[in-house]
Amino acid sequence: MSKSIKQGSGMPLVVWVMQDDFSSQTIEAINKEFTRRTNVKVEVQVQPWAQISTKIMTSLVTSSPPDVLDIGNTKLASFAQSGGLADLSRYKRQFDNHDSWLAGLAEAGEFDNHLYGVPAFGATRAVIYNKKLWAQAGIVQPPATYKELIDDLNRISEVHKSDKDFSAFYLPAKNWFLAMQFIWDFKGNVFDKSSGVFRPSMSSKASLRGLQEWRLFQNSYSSKASRVADANSPDMAQMMAENKTSAIFSNSASLKRISEINPQISQSDLGTFPFPSALPDRQSRNEVTYSKNKQPAVLSGSLWAVAARSPNADLAAEWISIATGSYIQRKYLFSADKWIPNNTNDVKKVLTTLPESDNSKGFFEAALLTSSTPALPLWSHIEEDSSMKEMLVAIASSRKDGGGAARVFDNHLEDLLKRSGDEK
């Protein structure tokens, strides 16, 4: 226990936990250890997702807010900007593995160069493929490079060339997660902050190279109808369960869903691997070679934060230090809740325990190289207004280089920045 923490005086520490984020046994284990150390009880309040942003914002301005809050990694910046969250920078060294937090969570937890959110757990996306369909094309191992992936998909496309409804790799254009990875892979980004302020950069040379390669991949291996489709319309897992595709890019929940829809596809029939880097390692007139690097993955997950008006900041930090420590991360967040631990050290240890046949390995491998969407309060608005999805549909559906659609999107971002005051 930190020397600055005093023993409890009888008032409970109030913790808000989002519905389905943590099992009851995980929370009980954290609370038991916390009470043992501090003699302070914990009052856990499980929150439904409906209207949660409004509820959190309202609670943070009251005189008695919750002490600890479970906040999604893309939502934290708006609450930090409002002044509703406590700066946790002074506690950082007491958190286990603070120097090896997954980048996609660590970046999301900082705002204006201060720590406001401590990584709780991660979840990522990877390629899910049907081993039986790949075996029919003579493929028995997942690809290690982008060239191998392209070669494999070409072989699968050839086997199924008579089936006009089949996609070797079903990829709806509005599923922006993989497009984002292509952009990062080619060293582009949604915003550039090299000048010290945020500037839209989707139409930059690097971002456009990523978008062009994404379009080529999408157009080559997914159906024409998918160029205007969203991730759940039609459902990607449903497409795979009906054997209309041999691969999708999705999260771990899709593994179970595929087998539930079609019990003839068992979990042993499904495999996963992180999407390989499409950035050429060497390029000449006659040959393009690729390394075994992986694309930076978009990381979802949650962060623990402390209300700025909480009178129990030291106790709250102690509770978070237990929740984010390696013991809880590996024994509960991974083993019980099936989440990805919040740091690369524990992810690597988990990978050593997974058997070769475990079909979740690809998600943990992808988690070792992650990035984050911009830590800007307006990012939630960008996700909700569909502007990025509209850009990707325009690019996927066009024979042009995508520059026009990207510039339209950049102009939209510039307008949002000016209206929100988020440039810094």
Side-chain angles (χ1 to χ4, degrees):
M1 182 174 66
S2 172
K3 293 180 180 179
S4 64
I5 296 177
K6 298 179 181 179
Q7 294 293 315
S9 59
M11 293 296 291
L13 188 80
V14 178
V15 177
W16 276 18
V17 176
M18 294 308 303
Q19 188 175 16
D20 300 325
D21 268 5
F22 304 90
S23 66
S24 58
Q25 60 182 312
T26 296
I27 295 300
E28 287 170 5
I30 299 168
N31 291 345
K32 182 178 179 180
E33 176 60 16
F34 174 77
T35 300
R36 186 191 70 78
R37 294 186 189 184
T38 65
N39 199 34
V40 175
K41 300 295 184 182
V42 182
E43 180 183 329
V44 175
Q45 299 177 4
V46 178
Q47 302 296 322
W49 286 98
Q51 304 298 317
I52 187 58
S53 292
T54 300
K55 188 172 184 179
I56 289 176
M57 193 68 78
T58 300
S59 73
L60 292 176
V61 299
T62 66
S63 59
S64 56
D67 299 297
V68 179
L69 301 96
D70 168 16
I71 298 177
N73 62 327
T74 63
K75 305 290 187 182
L76 183 125
S78 59
F79 303 123
Q81 184 190 51
S82 72
L85 299 181
D87 182 354
L88 303 177
S89 302
R90 67 187 184 277
Y91 300 108
K92 186 172 183 178
R93 289 186 177 277
Q94 81 181 55
F95 302 130
D96 269 5
N97 301 297
H98 62 269
D99 55 352
S100 66
W101 285 335
L102 300 180
L105 294 176
E107 294 164 10
E110 291 196 358
F111 181 76
D112 200 21
N113 297 316
H114 292 274
L115 179 68
Y116 288 94
V118 181
F121 65 82
T124 192
R125 290 166 176 79
V127 179
I128 300 175
Y129 71 107
N130 186 318
K131 293 179 182 179
K132 284 187 175 179
L133 293 183
W134 285 46
Q136 290 172 7
I139 306 163
V140 296
Q141 294 292 334
T145 68
Y146 189 61
K147 183 179 185 307
E148 289 179 13
L149 173 61
I150 296 303
D151 290 345
D152 289 348
L153 294 177
N154 285 336
R155 292 169 71 177
I156 293 166
S157 296
E158 180 65 21
V159 170
H160 294 271
K161 62 182 179 181
S162 62
D163 186 351
K164 301 304 180 184
D165 294 328
F166 183 85
S167 296
F169 193 119
Y170 182 72
L171 180 61
K174 291 182 181 180
N175 183 9
W176 60 269
F177 298 100
L178 188 54
M180 194 70 250
Q181 292 192 187
F182 270 87
I183 293 165
W184 287 336
D185 193 19
F186 281 79
K187 316 306 179 187
N189 215 328
V190 183
F191 293 98
D192 174 67
K193 203 183 179 185
S194 59
S195 63
V197 295
F198 284 99
R199 290 287 179 262
S201 61
M202 195 64 86
S203 58
S204 68
K205 183 178 179 179
S207 295
L208 281 177
R209 284 187 66 201
L211 285 167
Q212 288 159 12
E213 188 63 39
W214 167 82
R215 180 187 64 183
L216 178 61
F217 181 86
Q218 198 277 340
N219 283 191
S220 298
Y221 302 109
S222 193
S223 65
K224 189 172 182 179
S226 70
R227 298 175 190 179
V228 297
D230 215 329
N232 298 315
S233 182
D235 186 327
M236 292 188 294
Q238 181 84 35
M239 294 281 287
M240 198 160 185
E242 295 176 356
N243 289 316
K244 292 181 179 179
T245 183
S246 77
I248 58 175
F249 186 74
S250 191
N251 56 31
S252 59
S254 291
L255 288 171
K256 182 179 179 181
R257 178 160 168 73
I258 291 166
S259 294
E260 287 176 342
I261 297 171
N262 183 359
Q264 293 185 356
I265 301 178
S266 69
Q267 288 299 293
S268 63
D269 294 329
L270 301 173
T272 59
F273 58 87
F275 202 96
S277 173
L279 181 66
D281 187 48
R282 187 173 68 253
Q283 192 166 1
S284 65
R285 181 174 297 179
N286 299 318
E287 183 183 27
V288 179
T289 60
Y290 298 90
S291 71
K292 291 186 178 181
N293 294 334
K294 311 304 178 188
Q295 289 186 346
V298 178
L299 190 66
S300 302
S302 278
L303 304 161
W304 290 116
V306 177
R309 293 192 176 190
S310 167
N312 303 309
D314 288 346
L315 287 165
E318 182 71 4
W319 191 93
I320 292 172
S321 74
I322 297 168
T324 58
S326 283
Y327 174 75
I328 293 294
Q329 288 292 305
R330 294 206 301 271
K331 184 173 178 60
Y332 290 93
L333 267 299
F334 162 64
S335 297
D337 298 351
K338 306 305 180 184
W339 293 119
I340 294 172
N342 66 358
N343 67 93
T344 58
N345 293 334
D346 287 330
V347 171
K348 290 176 181 177
K349 289 176 181 176
V350 165
L351 278 168
T352 65
T353 69
L354 294 178
E356 195 62 35
S357 60
D358 192 303
N359 66 5
S360 69
K361 287 188 69 173
F363 301 109
F364 291 90
E365 291 168 341
L368 292 174
L369 179 62
T370 63
S371 192
S372 173
T373 54
L376 287 171
L378 63 77
W379 181 254
S380 293
H381 180 79
I382 295 169
E383 284 191 20
E384 293 167 3
D385 71 8
S386 296
S387 56
M388 182 180 287
K389 292 181 179 181
E390 291 168 5
M391 176 194 71
L392 293 174
V393 166
I395 293 173
S397 304
S398 173
R399 294 183 179 274
K400 298 180 181 179
D401 67 0
R407 284 190 291 274
V408 169
F409 182 64
D410 275 352
N411 290 337
H412 175 64
L413 297 184
E414 188 67 49
D415 182 56
L416 289 177
L417 283 170
K418 289 178 180 177
R419 285 192 279 136
S420 66
D422 274 356
E423 292 95 335
K424 296 182 180 180

